[in-house]
């Protein structure tokens, strides 16, 4: 496996478990979590990320993600998430790695499906 695939597998595990240790394994203590690249400010620091993570529980979403590009500093991941009875999202993620393989910066680029007339 690659660093990016290991990180992605950990992210999906944490998404299912909501276990604090799983989330801490993903992000550095001073990590930035950007929900959108143009947000005024990110969620900053592991404690704030944990608080956000716990409040963002969904009803067993179905997801499919793949690593598109990676090097030692950055991974680009593409995916789809569907919440039962709700919305379907298309995602592109930037994962900026610290030397230890955790994310020091995470940026979500998410889109809802286009409405057709």
């Amino acid at each position: 496996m690659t660093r990016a695939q290991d990180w992605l597998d950990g992210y999906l595990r944490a998404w299912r478990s909501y276990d604090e240790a799983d989330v801490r394994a993903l992000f550095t203590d001073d990590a930035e979590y950007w929900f959108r690249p143009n947000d005024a400010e990110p969620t900053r620091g592991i404690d704030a990320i944990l608080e956000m993570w716990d409040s963002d529980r969904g009803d067993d979403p179905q997801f499919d993600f793949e690593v598109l590009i990676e090097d030692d500093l950055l991974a680009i991941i593409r995916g789809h998430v569907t919440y039962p009875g709700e919305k379907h999202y298309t995602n592109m993620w930037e994962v900026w790695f610290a030397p230890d393989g955790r994310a020091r910066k995470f940026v979500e680029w998410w889109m809802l499906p286009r409405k057709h007339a």
Side-chain angles (χ1 to χ4, degrees):
M1 282 213 190
T2 66
R3 171 183 274 192
Q5 188 63 55
D6 287 344
W7 190 90
L8 175 58
D9 291 346
Y11 188 99
L12 297 177
R13 182 173 41 258
W15 196 348
R16 289 181 191 106
S17 74
Y18 287 90
D19 183 85
E20 181 176 326
D22 289 343
V23 179
R24 284 188 181 279
L26 296 171
F27 299 98
T28 61
D29 291 346
D30 60 347
E32 296 178 358
Y33 193 115
W34 293 82
F35 287 96
R36 293 167 203 81
N38 59 348
D39 281 348
E41 290 290 326
T43 298
R44 193 180 313 272
I46 189 61
D47 292 332
I49 291 170
L50 281 164
E51 184 176 321
M52 170 275 305
W53 200 281
D54 193 51
S55 70
D56 195 31
R57 292 181 186 239
D59 292 331
D60 194 28
Q62 301 299 309
F63 38 75
D64 180 35
F65 285 91
E66 66 179 318
V67 176
L68 295 180
I69 301 168
E70 72 174 293
D71 64 19
D72 289 342
L73 299 176
L74 172 66
I76 303 297
I77 297 170
R78 175 179 62 191
H80 303 275
V81 179
T82 302
Y83 288 91
E86 294 185 36
K87 295 182 178 167
H88 174 83
Y89 295 88
T90 301
N91 297 275
M92 188 78 65
W93 294 346
E94 299 173 26
V95 182
W96 295 88
F97 293 113
D100 66 2
R102 293 181 298 160
R104 63 178 178 80
K105 182 177 180 182
F106 176 81
V107 183
E108 288 189 78
W109 299 69
W110 56 267
M111 287 77 41
L112 293 170
R114 184 182 319 192
K115 292 186 179 187
H116 297 282

